[in-house]
PDB file of all heavy atoms in Angstrom:
ATOM      1  N   GLN A   1      35.718  98.131 215.877  1.00 97.00           N
ATOM      2  CA  GLN A   1      34.426  97.520 216.193  1.00 97.00           C
ATOM      3  C   GLN A   1      34.206  97.737 217.668  1.00 97.00           C
ATOM      4  O   GLN A   1      34.870  97.089 218.486  1.00 97.00           O
ATOM      5  CB  GLN A   1      34.393  96.022 215.856  1.00 97.00           C
ATOM      6  CG  GLN A   1      33.024  95.374 216.038  1.00 97.00           C
ATOM      7  CD  GLN A   1      33.007  93.914 215.632  1.00 97.00           C
ATOM      8  OE1 GLN A   1      33.992  93.452 215.031  1.00 97.00           O
ATOM      9  NE2 GLN A   1      31.961  93.226 215.939  1.00 97.00           N
ATOM     10  N   GLU A   2      33.328  98.637 218.023  1.00 97.00           N
ATOM     11  CA  GLU A   2      33.166  99.104 219.401  1.00 97.00           C
ATOM     12  C   GLU A   2      33.024  97.926 220.371  1.00 97.00           C
ATOM     13  O   GLU A   2      32.178  97.076 220.201  1.00 97.00           O
ATOM     14  CB  GLU A   2      31.976 100.017 219.541  1.00 97.00           C
ATOM     15  CG  GLU A   2      31.850 100.709 220.869  1.00 97.00           C
ATOM     16  CD  GLU A   2      33.011 101.667 221.147  1.00 97.00           C
ATOM     17  OE1 GLU A   2      33.600 102.231 220.197  1.00 97.00           O
ATOM     18  OE2 GLU A   2      33.389 101.812 222.344  1.00 97.00           O
ATOM     19  N   GLY A   3      33.887  97.923 221.374  1.00 96.00           N
ATOM     20  CA  GLY A   3      33.811  96.897 222.413  1.00 96.00           C
ATOM     21  C   GLY A   3      34.331  95.548 222.027  1.00 96.00           C
ATOM     22  O   GLY A   3      34.312  94.607 222.754  1.00 96.00           O
ATOM     23  N   VAL A   4      34.862  95.456 220.750  1.00 97.00           N
ATOM     24  CA  VAL A   4      35.362  94.153 220.262  1.00 97.00           C
ATOM     25  C   VAL A   4      36.774  94.242 219.712  1.00 97.00           C
ATOM     26  O   VAL A   4      37.665  93.504 220.120  1.00 97.00           O
ATOM     27  CB  VAL A   4      34.428  93.559 219.192  1.00 97.00           C
ATOM     28  CG1 VAL A   4      34.947  92.227 218.659  1.00 97.00           C
ATOM     29  CG2 VAL A   4      32.988  93.414 219.718  1.00 97.00           C
ATOM     30  N   VAL A   5      37.017  95.161 218.762  1.00 97.00           N
ATOM     31  CA  VAL A   5      38.276  95.357 218.113  1.00 97.00           C
ATOM     32  C   VAL A   5      38.732  96.771 218.250  1.00 97.00           C
ATOM     33  O   VAL A   5      37.974  97.711 217.970  1.00 97.00           O
ATOM     34  CB  VAL A   5      38.216  94.923 216.630  1.00 97.00           C
ATOM     35  CG1 VAL A   5      39.537  95.138 215.947  1.00 97.00           C
ATOM     36  CG2 VAL A   5      37.736  93.493 216.494  1.00 97.00           C
ATOM     37  N   GLY A   6      39.986  96.943 218.638  1.00 97.00           N
ATOM     38  CA  GLY A   6      40.541  98.272 218.833  1.00 97.00           C
ATOM     39  C   GLY A   6      40.889  98.972 217.550  1.00 97.00           C
ATOM     40  O   GLY A   6      40.429  98.579 216.458  1.00 97.00           O
ATOM     41  N   PRO A   7      41.674 100.066 217.625  1.00 97.00           N
ATOM     42  CA  PRO A   7      41.918 100.912 216.473  1.00 97.00           C
ATOM     43  C   PRO A   7      42.967 100.358 215.504  1.00 97.00           C
ATOM     44  O   PRO A   7      44.003 101.008 215.192  1.00 97.00           O
ATOM     45  CB  PRO A   7      42.421 102.240 217.097  1.00 97.00           C
ATOM     46  CG  PRO A   7      43.093 101.794 218.356  1.00 97.00           C
ATOM     47  CD  PRO A   7      42.319 100.585 218.845  1.00 97.00           C
ATOM     48  N   ILE A   8      42.743  99.170 214.993  1.00 97.00           N
ATOM     49  CA  ILE A   8      43.718  98.472 214.139  1.00 97.00           C
ATOM     50  C   ILE A   8      43.950  99.264 212.860  1.00 97.00           C
ATOM     51  O   ILE A   8      45.064  99.361 212.371  1.00 97.00           O
ATOM     52  CB  ILE A   8      43.293  97.050 213.863  1.00 97.00           C
ATOM     53  CG1 ILE A   8      42.945  96.304 215.168  1.00 97.00           C
ATOM     54  CG2 ILE A   8      44.410  96.308 213.118  1.00 97.00           C
ATOM     55  CD1 ILE A   8      44.028  96.275 216.193  1.00 97.00           C
ATOM     56  N   LYS A   9      42.881  99.764 212.269  1.00 97.00           N
ATOM     57  CA  LYS A   9      42.997 100.540 211.008  1.00 97.00           C
ATOM     58  C   LYS A   9      43.916 101.761 211.214  1.00 97.00           C
ATOM     59  O   LYS A   9      44.699 102.092 210.333  1.00 97.00           O
ATOM     60  CB  LYS A   9      41.624 100.919 210.480  1.00 97.00           C
ATOM     61  CG  LYS A   9      40.778  99.752 210.029  1.00 97.00           C
ATOM     62  CD  LYS A   9      39.387 100.217 209.557  1.00 97.00           C
ATOM     63  CE  LYS A   9      38.518  99.051 209.176  1.00 97.00           C
ATOM     64  NZ  LYS A   9      37.125  99.451 208.815  1.00 97.00           N
ATOM     65  N   THR A  10      43.721 102.413 212.325  1.00 97.00           N
ATOM     66  CA  THR A  10      44.536 103.601 212.644  1.00 97.00           C
ATOM     67  C   THR A  10      46.009 103.187 212.773  1.00 97.00           C
ATOM     68  O   THR A  10      46.906 103.836 212.222  1.00 97.00           O
ATOM     69  CB  THR A  10      44.070 104.270 213.941  1.00 97.00           C
ATOM     70  OG1 THR A  10      42.722 104.713 213.784  1.00 97.00           O
ATOM     71  CG2 THR A  10      44.967 105.433 214.302  1.00 97.00           C
ATOM     72  N   LEU A  11      46.262 102.122 213.477  1.00 97.00           N
ATOM     73  CA  LEU A  11      47.621 101.620 213.681  1.00 97.00           C
ATOM     74  C   LEU A  11      48.267 101.236 212.337  1.00 97.00           C
ATOM     75  O   LEU A  11      49.431 101.569 212.079  1.00 97.00           O
ATOM     76  CB  LEU A  11      47.647 100.443 214.648  1.00 97.00           C
ATOM     77  CG  LEU A  11      47.279 100.811 216.101  1.00 97.00           C
ATOM     78  CD1 LEU A  11      46.978  99.514 216.876  1.00 97.00           C
ATOM     79  CD2 LEU A  11      48.414 101.558 216.754  1.00 97.00           C
ATOM     80  N   ASP A  12      47.487 100.570 211.491  1.00 96.00           N
ATOM     81  CA  ASP A  12      48.007 100.173 210.176  1.00 96.00           C
ATOM     82  C   ASP A  12      48.333 101.387 209.319  1.00 96.00           C
ATOM     83  O   ASP A  12      49.363 101.415 208.597  1.00 96.00           O
ATOM     84  CB  ASP A  12      47.010  99.275 209.449  1.00 96.00           C
ATOM     85  CG  ASP A  12      46.915  97.894 210.055  1.00 96.00           C
ATOM     86  OD1 ASP A  12      47.846  97.493 210.816  1.00 96.00           O
ATOM     87  OD2 ASP A  12      45.926  97.169 209.800  1.00 96.00           O
ATOM     88  N   ALA A  13      47.491 102.423 209.393  1.00 97.00           N
ATOM     89  CA  ALA A  13      47.710 103.631 208.622  1.00 97.00           C
ATOM     90  C   ALA A  13      48.981 104.327 209.093  1.00 97.00           C
ATOM     91  O   ALA A  13      49.782 104.851 208.271  1.00 97.00           O
ATOM     92  CB  ALA A  13      46.496 104.553 208.716  1.00 97.00           C
ATOM     93  N   LEU A  14      49.198 104.341 210.395  1.00 97.00           N
ATOM     94  CA  LEU A  14      50.365 104.963 210.974  1.00 97.00           C
ATOM     95  C   LEU A  14      51.624 104.234 210.549  1.00 97.00           C
ATOM     96  O   LEU A  14      52.677 104.812 210.217  1.00 97.00           O
ATOM     97  CB  LEU A  14      50.298 105.074 212.476  1.00 97.00           C
ATOM     98  CG  LEU A  14      49.213 106.031 213.032  1.00 97.00           C
ATOM     99  CD1 LEU A  14      49.078 105.858 214.536  1.00 97.00           C
ATOM    100  CD2 LEU A  14      49.526 107.482 212.663  1.00 97.00           C
ATOM    101  N   LYS A  15      51.554 102.891 210.553  1.00 96.00           N
ATOM    102  CA  LYS A  15      52.712 102.082 210.134  1.00 96.00           C
ATOM    103  C   LYS A  15      53.078 102.311 208.690  1.00 96.00           C
ATOM    104  O   LYS A  15      54.221 102.209 208.293  1.00 96.00           O
ATOM    105  CB  LYS A  15      52.397 100.622 210.353  1.00 96.00           C
ATOM    106  CG  LYS A  15      52.401 100.146 211.781  1.00 96.00           C
ATOM    107  CD  LYS A  15      52.140  98.641 211.882  1.00 96.00           C
ATOM    108  CE  LYS A  15      52.100  98.166 213.309  1.00 96.00           C
ATOM    109  NZ  LYS A  15      51.844  96.699 213.420  1.00 96.00           N
ATOM    110  N   ALA A  16      52.086 102.701 207.873  1.00 96.00           N
ATOM    111  CA  ALA A  16      52.339 102.926 206.455  1.00 96.00           C
ATOM    112  C   ALA A  16      53.238 104.114 206.224  1.00 96.00           C
ATOM    113  O   ALA A  16      53.759 104.300 205.099  1.00 96.00           O
ATOM    114  CB  ALA A  16      50.998 103.149 205.735  1.00 96.00           C
ATOM    115  N   LYS A  17      53.480 104.953 207.236  1.00 95.00           N
ATOM    116  CA  LYS A  17      54.412 106.056 207.124  1.00 95.00           C
ATOM    117  C   LYS A  17      55.875 105.564 206.962  1.00 95.00           C
ATOM    118  O   LYS A  17      56.747 106.304 206.610  1.00 95.00           O
ATOM    119  CB  LYS A  17      54.275 106.999 208.321  1.00 95.00           C
ATOM    120  CG  LYS A  17      53.017 107.820 208.372  1.00 95.00           C
ATOM    121  CD  LYS A  17      52.950 108.652 209.657  1.00 95.00           C
ATOM    122  CE  LYS A  17      51.747 109.539 209.662  1.00 95.00           C
ATOM    123  NZ  LYS A  17      52.004 110.866 209.185  1.00 95.00           N
ATOM    124  N   GLY A  18      56.053 104.298 207.349  1.00 95.00           N
ATOM    125  CA  GLY A  18      57.379 103.713 207.105  1.00 95.00           C
ATOM    126  C   GLY A  18      58.305 103.674 208.294  1.00 95.00           C
ATOM    127  O   GLY A  18      59.454 103.294 208.177  1.00 95.00           O
ATOM    128  N   PHE A  19      57.812 104.127 209.466  1.00 97.00           N
ATOM    129  CA  PHE A  19      58.656 104.142 210.653  1.00 97.00           C
ATOM    130  C   PHE A  19      57.963 103.332 211.744  1.00 97.00           C
ATOM    131  O   PHE A  19      56.739 103.177 211.765  1.00 97.00           O
ATOM    132  CB  PHE A  19      58.867 105.543 211.158  1.00 97.00           C
ATOM    133  CG  PHE A  19      59.679 106.416 210.176  1.00 97.00           C
ATOM    134  CD1 PHE A  19      59.020 107.308 209.357  1.00 97.00           C
ATOM    135  CD2 PHE A  19      61.019 106.329 210.105  1.00 97.00           C
ATOM    136  CE1 PHE A  19      59.690 108.100 208.424  1.00 97.00           C
ATOM    137  CE2 PHE A  19      61.742 107.118 209.225  1.00 97.00           C
ATOM    138  CZ  PHE A  19      61.084 108.006 208.370  1.00 97.00           C
ATOM    139  N   PRO A  20      58.746 102.783 212.698  1.00 96.00           N
ATOM    140  CA  PRO A  20      58.126 102.092 213.839  1.00 96.00           C
ATOM    141  C   PRO A  20      57.190 103.036 214.620  1.00 96.00           C
ATOM    142  O   PRO A  20      57.403 104.225 214.638  1.00 96.00           O
ATOM    143  CB  PRO A  20      59.309 101.650 214.678  1.00 96.00           C
ATOM    144  CG  PRO A  20      60.507 101.708 213.757  1.00 96.00           C
ATOM    145  CD  PRO A  20      60.181 102.798 212.771  1.00 96.00           C
ATOM    146  N   LEU A  21      56.211 102.415 215.270  1.00 98.00           N
ATOM    147  CA  LEU A  21      55.308 103.204 216.143  1.00 98.00           C
ATOM    148  C   LEU A  21      55.862 103.299 217.509  1.00 98.00           C
ATOM    149  O   LEU A  21      56.631 102.462 218.005  1.00 98.00           O
ATOM    150  CB  LEU A  21      53.947 102.528 216.177  1.00 98.00           C
ATOM    151  CG  LEU A  21      53.185 102.271 214.847  1.00 98.00           C
ATOM    152  CD1 LEU A  21      51.785 101.748 215.142  1.00 98.00           C
ATOM    153  CD2 LEU A  21      53.138 103.522 214.024  1.00 98.00           C
ATOM    154  N   VAL A  22      55.471 104.359 218.202  1.00 98.00           N
ATOM    155  CA  VAL A  22      55.764 104.559 219.615  1.00 98.00           C
ATOM    156  C   VAL A  22      54.484 104.852 220.356  1.00 98.00           C
ATOM    157  O   VAL A  22      53.704 105.693 219.903  1.00 98.00           O
ATOM    158  CB  VAL A  22      56.832 105.664 219.848  1.00 98.00           C
ATOM    159  CG1 VAL A  22      56.411 106.978 219.248  1.00 98.00           C
ATOM    160  CG2 VAL A  22      57.093 105.843 221.363  1.00 98.00           C
ATOM    161  N   TYR A  23      54.234 104.127 221.429  1.00 98.00           N
ATOM    162  CA  TYR A  23      53.068 104.353 222.276  1.00 98.00           C
ATOM    163  C   TYR A  23      53.352 105.545 223.177  1.00 98.00           C
ATOM    164  O   TYR A  23      54.310 105.520 223.938  1.00 98.00           O
ATOM    165  CB  TYR A  23      52.714 103.143 223.099  1.00 98.00           C
ATOM    166  CG  TYR A  23      51.375 103.163 223.733  1.00 98.00           C
ATOM    167  CD1 TYR A  23      50.308 102.459 223.217  1.00 98.00           C
ATOM    168  CD2 TYR A  23      51.138 103.915 224.922  1.00 98.00           C
ATOM    169  CE1 TYR A  23      49.053 102.494 223.817  1.00 98.00           C
ATOM    170  CE2 TYR A  23      49.906 103.964 225.498  1.00 98.00           C
ATOM    171  CZ  TYR A  23      48.865 103.226 224.948  1.00 98.00           C
ATOM    172  OH  TYR A  23      47.616 103.289 225.574  1.00 98.00           O
ATOM    173  N   VAL A  24      52.502 106.559 223.103  1.00 98.00           N
ATOM    174  CA  VAL A  24      52.631 107.789 223.878  1.00 98.00           C
ATOM    175  C   VAL A  24      51.384 108.029 224.696  1.00 98.00           C
ATOM    176  O   VAL A  24      50.259 107.933 224.138  1.00 98.00           O
ATOM    177  CB  VAL A  24      52.939 108.998 223.014  1.00 98.00           C
ATOM    178  CG1 VAL A  24      53.066 110.260 223.830  1.00 98.00           C
ATOM    179  CG2 VAL A  24      54.192 108.760 222.161  1.00 98.00           C
ATOM    180  N   GLY A  25      51.526 108.273 225.992  1.00 97.00           N
ATOM    181  CA  GLY A  25      50.367 108.548 226.835  1.00 97.00           C
ATOM    182  C   GLY A  25      50.685 109.488 227.971  1.00 97.00           C
ATOM    183  O   GLY A  25      51.855 109.638 228.327  1.00 97.00           O
ATOM    184  N   ASP A  26      49.648 110.121 228.482  1.00 97.00           N
ATOM    185  CA  ASP A  26      49.873 110.993 229.606  1.00 97.00           C
ATOM    186  C   ASP A  26      50.222 110.156 230.872  1.00 97.00           C
ATOM    187  O   ASP A  26      51.199 110.480 231.590  1.00 97.00           O
ATOM    188  CB  ASP A  26      48.616 111.848 229.867  1.00 97.00           C
ATOM    189  CG  ASP A  26      48.306 112.800 228.743  1.00 97.00           C
ATOM    190  OD1 ASP A  26      49.252 113.439 228.251  1.00 97.00           O
ATOM    191  OD2 ASP A  26      47.131 112.846 228.296  1.00 97.00           O
ATOM    192  N   VAL A  27      49.409 109.160 231.140  1.00 97.00           N
ATOM    193  CA  VAL A  27      49.687 108.214 232.221  1.00 97.00           C
ATOM    194  C   VAL A  27      49.467 106.836 231.640  1.00 97.00           C
ATOM    195  O   VAL A  27      48.368 106.513 231.113  1.00 97.00           O
ATOM    196  CB  VAL A  27      48.710 108.443 233.424  1.00 97.00           C
ATOM    197  CG1 VAL A  27      49.033 107.465 234.518  1.00 97.00           C
ATOM    198  CG2 VAL A  27      48.864 109.887 233.949  1.00 97.00           C
ATOM    199  N   VAL A  28      50.479 105.981 231.745  1.00 96.00           N
ATOM    200  CA  VAL A  28      50.434 104.691 231.048  1.00 96.00           C
ATOM    201  C   VAL A  28      50.637 103.516 232.008  1.00 96.00           C
ATOM    202  O   VAL A  28      51.542 103.569 232.833  1.00 96.00           O
ATOM    203  CB  VAL A  28      51.525 104.631 229.985  1.00 96.00           C
ATOM    204  CG1 VAL A  28      51.392 103.320 229.178  1.00 96.00           C
ATOM    205  CG2 VAL A  28      51.444 105.811 229.016  1.00 96.00           C
ATOM    206  N   GLY A  29      49.763 102.526 231.899  1.00 95.00           N
ATOM    207  CA  GLY A  29      49.984 101.228 232.569  1.00 95.00           C
ATOM    208  C   GLY A  29      49.585 101.107 234.032  1.00 95.00           C
ATOM    209  O   GLY A  29      50.072 100.221 234.719  1.00 95.00           O
ATOM    210  N   THR A  30      48.660 101.940 234.431  1.00 95.00           N
ATOM    211  CA  THR A  30      48.172 101.798 235.828  1.00 95.00           C
ATOM    212  C   THR A  30      47.289 100.533 235.927  1.00 95.00           C
ATOM    213  O   THR A  30      46.901  99.977 234.903  1.00 95.00           O
ATOM    214  CB  THR A  30      47.365 103.027 236.252  1.00 95.00           C
ATOM    215  OG1 THR A  30      46.274 103.244 235.323  1.00 95.00           O
ATOM    216  CG2 THR A  30      48.235 104.258 236.312  1.00 95.00           C
ATOM    217  N   GLY A  31      46.985 100.134 237.128  1.00 90.00           N
ATOM    218  CA  GLY A  31      46.116  98.944 237.293  1.00 90.00           C
ATOM    219  C   GLY A  31      46.943  97.722 237.634  1.00 90.00           C
ATOM    220  O   GLY A  31      47.967  97.817 238.353  1.00 90.00           O
ATOM    221  N   SER A  32      46.532  96.577 237.170  1.00 85.00           N
ATOM    222  CA  SER A  32      47.146  95.297 237.577  1.00 85.00           C
ATOM    223  C   SER A  32      48.484  95.128 236.899  1.00 85.00           C
ATOM    224  O   SER A  32      48.862  95.857 236.024  1.00 85.00           O
ATOM    225  CB  SER A  32      46.191  94.134 237.220  1.00 85.00           C
ATOM    226  OG  SER A  32      46.188  93.899 235.824  1.00 85.00           O
ATOM    227  N   SER A  33      49.148  94.024 237.273  1.00 83.00           N
ATOM    228  CA  SER A  33      50.495  93.738 236.762  1.00 83.00           C
ATOM    229  C   SER A  33      50.489  92.830 235.533  1.00 83.00           C
ATOM    230  O   SER A  33      51.508  92.310 235.170  1.00 83.00           O
ATOM    231  CB  SER A  33      51.334  93.084 237.863  1.00 83.00           C
ATOM    232  OG  SER A  33      50.729  91.863 238.279  1.00 83.00           O
ATOM    233  N   ARG A  34      49.297  92.644 234.917  1.00 89.00           N
ATOM    234  CA  ARG A  34      49.217  91.667 233.814  1.00 89.00           C
ATOM    235  C   ARG A  34      50.240  91.954 232.707  1.00 89.00           C
ATOM    236  O   ARG A  34      50.278  92.997 232.073  1.00 89.00           O
ATOM    237  CB  ARG A  34      47.775  91.658 233.279  1.00 89.00           C
ATOM    238  CG  ARG A  34      47.304  92.970 232.656  1.00 89.00           C
ATOM    239  CD  ARG A  34      45.814  92.981 232.439  1.00 89.00           C
ATOM    240  NE  ARG A  34      45.057  93.159 233.659  1.00 89.00           N
ATOM    241  CZ  ARG A  34      43.739  93.459 233.692  1.00 89.00           C
ATOM    242  NH1 ARG A  34      43.046  93.560 232.562  1.00 89.00           N
ATOM    243  NH2 ARG A  34      43.108  93.618 234.840  1.00 89.00           N
ATOM    244  N   LYS A  35      51.071  90.916 232.421  1.00 93.00           N
ATOM    245  CA  LYS A  35      52.066  91.044 231.377  1.00 93.00           C
ATOM    246  C   LYS A  35      51.435  91.109 229.992  1.00 93.00           C
ATOM    247  O   LYS A  35      52.019  91.652 229.065  1.00 93.00           O
ATOM    248  CB  LYS A  35      53.007  89.808 231.432  1.00 93.00           C
ATOM    249  CG  LYS A  35      54.047  89.720 230.319  1.00 93.00           C
ATOM    250  CD  LYS A  35      55.101  90.783 230.491  1.00 93.00           C
ATOM    251  CE  LYS A  35      56.143  90.760 229.307  1.00 93.00           C
ATOM    252  NZ  LYS A  35      56.895  89.522 229.296  1.00 93.00           N
TER     253      LYS A  35
END
């Protein structure tokens, strides 16, 4: 749901493969220190 809910359906479909997910990015976590 644009601007409200992220790609939850995509994440659920990936989980259905039966393995844990790994977050992969070119550059990850810039910006503030928010936990």
